[in-house]
Amino acid sequence: MEGFPVGVRFHPTDNELVSYYLRNKATMGDGFQSPYVSDCPDFYGKWEPWTVWDKYGGNSHVEDGEPLFFFTKRKKLSPNGTRFDRKMGTGTWSNQYFVKVVEEGKVIGLKRDFRYEGGSSSDQNNAWLMHEYELNKKDVTVLCTLRKKPTKRPPRGSETKKESVDENQRKRKLDEVVDDLEQDLDERRKLIRDLDQRRKLRANRPRKEETSCEEQGGSITIDHHQGSSSRTPCDEAYRPELVPDLATADDIVFTSYDFFASTPDDPLHVECNEFLDQFYEDNNFN
């Protein structure tokens, strides 16, 4: 407010407004003047709150959140009534609550709280607040404070809320793309490992040893129990030099013995030995 040294503000208490400023104004009338509380006879009249605010320097001399102070007179709804008309401009002041102003345990006045509503400008409704101080219910001289309703500050970072949402959406899409690429890469790595394992198994797999007779389409059948063998020539001319390749039959016989014969005297063991002796003799393996 104008007229104060730098850093000094007019911040009277409710008791000071009632006991000093309002009481002196009610008692002395125009004889009491204050540079901090303006006289505004038409506060309850045709002017809108923003008009009064601008006219008395609210836009130029009052910091955000600070009120303007006024002495004014209330107007009764009817000459003999007790109720007051609190219309202002095209709207009205709607009473919200009141509190008692107490000094040394004694009630010295009331403080009423109002909100502006019903005006022709919808964006101004509920945008103005007013306090009315009175000495008693019948007194027409009152002290009023007028202030703009403080606007709620947006949450920290809300000015970039849309940008944050867009950024989050971009990040989610990027994460999805990365996940897809990683999944595809894992599948490719698994395929490479499987192919490499198959290649190693194939390289380490032993080759089957086939008899020459098998290569020629012939076969030799050995009867383990009868001790005899039958030969099917590979060609029209049987080639004995290929028979030694069947020496592995000895391993087969003794392998069978290991499974079925418990002692060297076992009949199966004897029969197998006799068969081998005969087989060696017939094939000149001496």
Side-chain angles (χ1 to χ4, degrees):
M1 185 174 289
E2 215 174 8
F4 289 101
V6 177
V8 178
R9 301 290 183 272
F10 183 62
H11 282 300
T13 64
D14 292 342
N15 290 49
E16 291 170 342
L17 287 175
V18 173
S19 63
Y20 178 77
Y21 290 96
L22 181 56
R23 182 173 292 170
N24 285 331
K25 186 66 174 179
T27 303
M28 301 172 60
D30 293 339
F32 178 80
Q33 299 293 324
S34 169
Y36 315 123
V37 183
S38 303
D39 286 319
C40 184
D42 293 326
F43 186 83
Y44 295 115
K46 61 181 180 179
W47 290 343
E48 299 284 2
W50 53 93
T51 304
V52 174
W53 180 263
D54 184 61
K55 183 177 178 63
Y56 286 86
N59 290 329
S60 57
H61 304 306
V62 179
E63 295 185 3
D64 188 28
E66 296 291 328
L68 290 176
F69 298 85
F70 301 98
F71 289 125
T72 191
K73 294 184 180 294
R74 294 185 292 194
K75 300 176 182 179
K76 291 185 177 182
L77 288 173
S78 61
N80 298 324
T82 58
R83 299 178 61 190
F84 295 98
D85 183 7
R86 292 188 176 88
K87 291 181 180 180
M88 190 174 189
T90 57
T92 187
W93 292 106
S94 175
N95 189 15
Q96 298 185 86
Y97 66 88
F98 72 90
V99 294
K100 297 178 180 179
V101 180
V102 181
E103 184 178 57
E104 296 180 354
K106 180 181 178 181
V107 178
I108 60 174
L110 292 178
K111 173 187 176 181
R112 300 179 185 276
D113 182 86
F114 295 89
R115 181 184 67 251
Y116 181 79
E117 61 183 26
S120 59
S121 182
S122 59
D123 61 327
Q124 298 292 338
N125 291 329
N126 300 317
W128 297 91
L129 300 176
M130 187 264 289
H131 288 152
E132 182 187 86
Y133 295 87
E134 65 179 34
L135 291 171
N136 57 70
K137 294 182 179 180
K138 296 181 180 180
D139 202 336
V140 297
T141 300
V142 292
L143 188 153
C144 296
T145 66
L146 177 66
R147 76 176 69 220
K148 291 181 179 181
K149 184 177 180 180
T151 57
K152 293 183 179 180
R153 292 185 177 182
R156 187 176 183 180
S158 63
E159 63 277 2
T160 59
K161 183 176 181 180
K162 185 177 184 302
E163 291 79 359
S164 299
V165 171
D166 294 340
E167 182 66 20
N168 290 334
Q169 291 178 350
R170 286 193 292 269
K171 287 182 178 180
R172 282 196 296 268
K173 291 182 180 180
L174 180 59
D175 290 340
E176 292 176 358
V177 173
V178 172
D179 291 340
D180 292 340
L181 291 175
E182 288 181 349
Q183 183 177 359
D184 182 67
L185 182 59
D186 289 340
E187 293 178 355
R188 291 175 181 270
R189 287 173 176 171
K190 183 178 179 181
L191 178 60
I192 292 174
R193 286 195 299 268
D194 291 343
L195 292 175
D196 186 61
Q197 186 176 6
R198 292 181 183 180
R199 190 179 297 109
K200 289 181 180 179
L201 291 175
R202 186 175 301 171
N204 296 330
R205 183 182 302 169
R207 293 185 178 181
K208 294 182 179 180
E209 296 183 359
E210 299 177 350
T211 64
S212 299
C213 282
E214 288 174 342
E215 293 174 356
Q216 298 297 325
S219 64
I220 292 180
T221 303
I222 301 175
D223 188 344
H224 292 258
H225 298 284
Q226 299 298 329
S228 62
S229 63
S230 60
R231 294 179 296 186
T232 302
C234 298
D235 294 319
E236 294 180 358
Y238 173 66
R239 293 183 291 174
E241 65 274 10
L242 299 178
V243 175
D245 292 338
L246 295 178
T248 54
D250 187 27
D251 297 333
I252 296 173
V253 172
F254 279 96
T255 301
S256 299
Y257 159 75
D258 291 335
F259 281 102
F260 297 105
S262 59
T263 63
D265 297 333
D266 187 274
L268 179 59
H269 184 223
V270 174
E271 183 179 355
C272 287
N273 284 336
E274 292 176 354
F275 164 74
L276 287 175
D277 291 341
Q278 184 64 42
F279 179 77
Y280 292 153
E281 182 180 352
D282 291 344
N283 290 280
N284 295 322
F285 285 169
N286 295 329

